[in-house]
Amino acid sequence: MIKEIFKKIKKYQRIIIYGHVRPDGDCYGAQFGLQNIIKNAFPTKDVFVTGETSDFVSFVGTPDIIVGESNLEDSFYEGSLSIVVDTANKQRISNQKYVLGKEIIKIDHHIPVDNFGDIQWVDTNFPSCAQMIAYMSTQVKEFEITKAGAVAMYTGILTDTGRFKYRGVSELTHQMAGMLLTKGADVEEIDQAMSNETLEMIRFKGFVYQNFKTTDKGFIYITITDDIRNEFKLSYEEASSVVNLLSGIQGFRVWALFIEDGDLVRVRLRSNGPDIDKVANQFNGGGHAKASGAVINNWDELDQFIEAVHQVL
Ligand SMILES: [Mn+2]
């Protein structure tokens, strides 16, 4: 599979790397990591990262083609190679121009939702997509990693494993992380970039600890309305990042954060007990067995969602 992907990369002059909406550390890590290794192997190729900006992981990089700001003609995309990373659903791909590519490659570690891509390398054994890119670089002698790529991929591995906390972490994860350190990733630099917090965020965490709700079946959650988020002057990404404040609390094996987003309420659902991806599937979502996302249409559907969680507890 990796050899097939490399052949395609070799063949195309223009390569555009896509990720998902609301990019996280792993999305950026895989995108900028892949751009780095392709550029180092083929300096004369035109390799672009496209997607949304994110304050959260801006230290990893800024997309070359920013969705919503760029008004490139379709001809720019036509004839290129599209590589989509870290995204299981077509509709979650942040730049829908990926369909204009002459060929499409999908590299992902999520449970497959949509079938897309002429070549699909999907392996749920990898705890992060960035680890797949790092691994790919070790399997092709032309690929070289320089510091920017190492920082990107190390950040992707860290964020998607909760800093090496989840069981998906394997011997290979540590081998890849170790390899990235030898390529210039600096653990303290990256930790500082990720741990840097504003006063608003600290106050918001206090709010979460004061206002969570629990059910007698062992579900713990917090609801965040637009008004509350605005009160703390936080972006949607910042506010939704605190879901794991509710992890590891005795007697509560499933936790969630419900956050308003325009006309919808998005759900970040987590578990250290039962698999919860099936619950997410019932509410327009999906993801991993222990970490999924979902959507409810309004606050009135909250009780229905809680009931669905109780079915698996
Ligand atoms: Mn990921």
Side-chain angles (χ1 to χ4, degrees):
M1 194 65 84
I2 287 171
K3 294 270 137 52
E4 290 303 305
I5 293 172
F6 182 67
K7 264 192 221 156
K8 296 295 181 193
I9 288 171
K10 221 166 155 177
K11 196 172 120 188
Y12 284 83
Q13 173 59 28
R14 184 178 304 146
I15 300 168
I16 307 176
I17 303 169
Y18 300 77
H20 55 76
V21 294
R22 308 175 190 292
D24 54 15
D26 188 39
C27 179
Y28 265 31
Q31 286 186 285
F32 289 100
L34 182 58
Q35 181 185 41
N36 182 257
I37 62 175
I38 297 175
K39 284 296 274 182
N40 291 336
F42 305 103
T44 61
K45 282 192 193 292
D46 304 312
V47 188
F48 303 97
V49 165
T50 182
E52 298 170 359
T53 54
S54 165
D55 293 344
F56 218 32
V57 282
S58 59
F59 69 93
V60 170
T62 305
D64 307 295
I65 306 165
I66 296 172
V67 176
E69 288 180 18
S70 121
N71 37 25
L72 290 167
E73 306 275 335
D74 284 358
S75 58
F76 179 84
Y77 295 92
E78 283 159 5
S80 67
L81 175 64
S82 296
I83 307 181
V84 182
V85 300
D86 200 38
T87 315
N89 318 33
K90 287 189 212 171
Q91 62 174 46
R92 268 175 58 76
I93 301 169
S94 58
N95 185 341
Q96 289 291 324
K97 301 278 186 189
Y98 78 97
V99 292
L100 298 175
K102 194 170 176 202
E103 288 182 278
I104 300 168
I105 296 175
K106 176 192 190 188
I107 302 175
D108 191 25
H109 70 121
H110 296 94
I111 300 164
V113 180
D114 290 332
N115 188 33
F116 65 91
D118 303 289
I119 296 179
Q120 303 184 30
W121 177 30
V122 176
D123 192 338
T124 56
N125 293 314
F126 282 81
S128 73
C129 195
Q131 186 187 314
M132 297 176 79
I133 306 298
Y135 176 70
M136 184 164 86
S137 79
T138 64
Q139 301 301 299
V140 177
K141 64 176 187 317
E142 284 86 345
F143 283 144
E144 270 298 328
I145 303 172
T146 48
K147 180 170 177 177
V151 169
M153 289 184 270
Y154 193 88
T155 302
I157 291 172
L158 270 194
T159 53
D160 256 31
T161 62
R163 305 190 187 205
F164 301 108
K165 251 187 335 204
Y166 307 135
R167 187 163 295 121
V169 171
S170 64
E171 182 182 2
L172 184 65
T173 308
H174 285 285
Q175 282 169 353
M176 293 302 106
M179 178 274 288
L180 292 170
L181 294 182
T182 71
K183 304 291 181 185
D186 182 275
V187 288
E188 288 192 18
E189 232 173 77
I190 294 170
D191 181 68
Q192 277 163 23
M194 285 174 51
S195 308
N196 202 339
E197 288 199 307
T198 61
L199 203 52
E200 280 85 7
M201 182 54 102
I202 293 298
R203 292 204 174 101
F204 179 63
K205 287 184 173 179
F207 172 86
V208 172
Y209 279 133
Q210 294 276 339
N211 291 282
F212 61 77
K213 307 230 166 37
T214 60
T215 71
D216 51 12
K217 294 235 170 60
F219 179 41
I220 183 166
Y221 63 93
I222 179 81
T223 56
I224 299 158
T225 60
D226 277 342
D227 286 348
I228 290 169
R229 186 169 63 74
N230 291 332
E231 195 184 313
F232 291 96
K233 299 185 181 70
L234 296 174
S235 70
Y236 169 91
E237 279 73 22
E238 290 167 323
S240 58
S241 71
V242 301
V243 56
N244 283 328
L245 287 184
L246 301 178
S247 71
I249 299 170
Q250 276 182 24
F252 297 92
R253 293 182 305 156
V254 179
W255 62 100
L257 175 145
F258 296 85
I259 182 167
E260 230 171 71
D261 181 22
D263 297 336
L264 305 165
V265 177
R266 296 190 184 275
V267 191
R268 291 195 145 190
L269 184 63
R270 302 288 183 268
S271 170
N272 57 23
D275 292 351
I276 39 74
D277 54 311
K278 296 280 184 301
V279 175
N281 292 154
Q282 292 170 47
F283 294 87
N284 298 308
H288 307 283
K290 310 291 180 193
S292 278
V295 177
I296 56 175
N297 296 308
N298 50 58
W299 291 112
D300 294 339
E301 290 184 13
L302 180 61
D303 286 346
Q304 216 180 311
F305 193 94
I306 292 170
E307 191 42 48
V309 170
H310 285 175
Q311 294 299 318
V312 299
L313 268 167

Short mmCIF file of all heavy atoms in Angstrom, two decimals, residues 20 24 26-27 86 108-110 127-130 156 160 288, ligand 1:
data_model
loop_
_atom_site.label_atom_id
_atom_site.label_comp_id
_atom_site.label_asym_id
_atom_site.label_seq_id
_atom_site.Cartn_x
_atom_site.Cartn_y
_atom_site.Cartn_z
N HIS A 20 -9.78 17.41 7.77
CA HIS A 20 -11.19 17.55 8.12
C HIS A 20 -11.52 18.93 8.67
O HIS A 20 -10.62 19.69 9.04
CB HIS A 20 -11.63 16.46 9.11
CG HIS A 20 -10.83 16.36 10.38
ND1 HIS A 20 -10.97 17.23 11.41
CD2 HIS A 20 -9.88 15.46 10.76
CE1 HIS A 20 -10.14 16.88 12.40
NE2 HIS A 20 -9.47 15.81 12.02
N ASP A 24 -7.76 19.27 14.14
CA ASP A 24 -7.12 19.09 15.45
C ASP A 24 -5.62 18.84 15.24
O ASP A 24 -5.12 18.91 14.11
CB ASP A 24 -7.79 17.94 16.21
CG ASP A 24 -7.81 16.65 15.39
OD1 ASP A 24 -7.09 16.56 14.37
OD2 ASP A 24 -8.55 15.72 15.78
N ASP A 26 -3.90 16.17 15.27
CA ASP A 26 -3.56 15.03 14.42
C ASP A 26 -3.82 15.34 12.95
O ASP A 26 -3.04 14.93 12.07
CB ASP A 26 -4.35 13.79 14.84
CG ASP A 26 -3.88 12.55 14.11
OD1 ASP A 26 -2.64 12.43 13.89
OD2 ASP A 26 -4.70 11.71 13.74
N CYS A 27 -4.88 16.05 12.67
CA CYS A 27 -5.18 16.42 11.28
C CYS A 27 -4.02 17.27 10.73
O CYS A 27 -3.45 16.95 9.69
CB CYS A 27 -6.49 17.21 11.25
SG CYS A 27 -6.96 17.75 9.62
N ASP A 86 -6.83 11.60 7.76
CA ASP A 86 -7.51 11.70 9.06
C ASP A 86 -9.02 11.96 8.96
O ASP A 86 -9.61 12.51 9.88
CB ASP A 86 -6.85 12.81 9.90
CG ASP A 86 -7.15 12.68 11.39
OD1 ASP A 86 -7.19 11.53 11.88
OD2 ASP A 86 -7.34 13.71 12.06
N ASP A 108 -6.10 7.08 6.56
CA ASP A 108 -6.91 7.35 7.75
C ASP A 108 -6.83 6.22 8.78
O ASP A 108 -6.53 5.07 8.46
CB ASP A 108 -8.38 7.55 7.34
CG ASP A 108 -9.23 8.09 8.49
OD1 ASP A 108 -8.67 8.73 9.39
OD2 ASP A 108 -10.44 7.84 8.49
N HIS A 109 -7.12 6.58 10.02
CA HIS A 109 -7.09 5.59 11.11
C HIS A 109 -8.44 5.46 11.81
O HIS A 109 -8.53 4.81 12.86
CB HIS A 109 -6.00 5.97 12.13
CG HIS A 109 -6.30 7.19 12.94
ND1 HIS A 109 -6.38 7.17 14.31
CD2 HIS A 109 -6.55 8.46 12.57
CE1 HIS A 109 -6.65 8.39 14.75
NE2 HIS A 109 -6.75 9.19 13.71
N HIS A 110 -9.48 6.11 11.24
CA HIS A 110 -10.83 5.98 11.83
C HIS A 110 -11.54 4.76 11.26
O HIS A 110 -11.23 4.30 10.17
CB HIS A 110 -11.68 7.21 11.51
CG HIS A 110 -11.16 8.48 12.11
ND1 HIS A 110 -10.33 9.33 11.43
CD2 HIS A 110 -11.34 9.00 13.33
CE1 HIS A 110 -10.04 10.36 12.22
NE2 HIS A 110 -10.62 10.18 13.39
N PRO A 127 -3.07 4.69 16.40
CA PRO A 127 -3.82 5.61 17.27
C PRO A 127 -3.84 7.04 16.74
O PRO A 127 -4.56 7.88 17.28
CB PRO A 127 -3.05 5.53 18.60
CG PRO A 127 -1.66 5.16 18.21
CD PRO A 127 -1.78 4.30 16.98
N SER A 128 -3.04 7.32 15.73
CA SER A 128 -3.11 8.65 15.12
C SER A 128 -2.73 8.54 13.66
O SER A 128 -1.96 7.65 13.27
CB SER A 128 -2.19 9.65 15.84
OG SER A 128 -0.84 9.38 15.52
N CYS A 129 -3.25 9.46 12.87
CA CYS A 129 -2.92 9.47 11.45
C CYS A 129 -1.47 9.95 11.27
O CYS A 129 -0.77 9.51 10.36
CB CYS A 129 -3.90 10.37 10.70
SG CYS A 129 -3.87 10.14 8.93
N ALA A 130 -1.05 10.84 12.16
CA ALA A 130 0.34 11.33 12.09
C ALA A 130 1.32 10.17 12.23
O ALA A 130 2.38 10.15 11.60
CB ALA A 130 0.57 12.37 13.18
N GLY A 156 0.77 15.50 16.44
CA GLY A 156 -0.37 14.67 16.06
C GLY A 156 -0.47 13.42 16.91
O GLY A 156 -1.55 13.04 17.39
N ASP A 160 -3.70 12.93 19.60
CA ASP A 160 -4.68 11.85 19.39
C ASP A 160 -4.54 10.70 20.39
O ASP A 160 -5.46 9.90 20.54
CB ASP A 160 -4.61 11.31 17.95
CG ASP A 160 -5.76 11.83 17.10
OD1 ASP A 160 -6.22 12.96 17.38
OD2 ASP A 160 -6.22 11.13 16.17
N HIS A 288 -14.33 6.72 17.09
CA HIS A 288 -13.67 5.57 17.68
C HIS A 288 -14.55 4.93 18.76
O HIS A 288 -15.49 5.55 19.24
CB HIS A 288 -12.34 6.00 18.30
CG HIS A 288 -11.45 6.74 17.36
ND1 HIS A 288 -10.71 6.13 16.38
CD2 HIS A 288 -11.21 8.05 17.24
CE1 HIS A 288 -10.04 7.03 15.70
NE2 HIS A 288 -10.32 8.22 16.20
MN MN B 1 -6.80 11.50 14.07
#
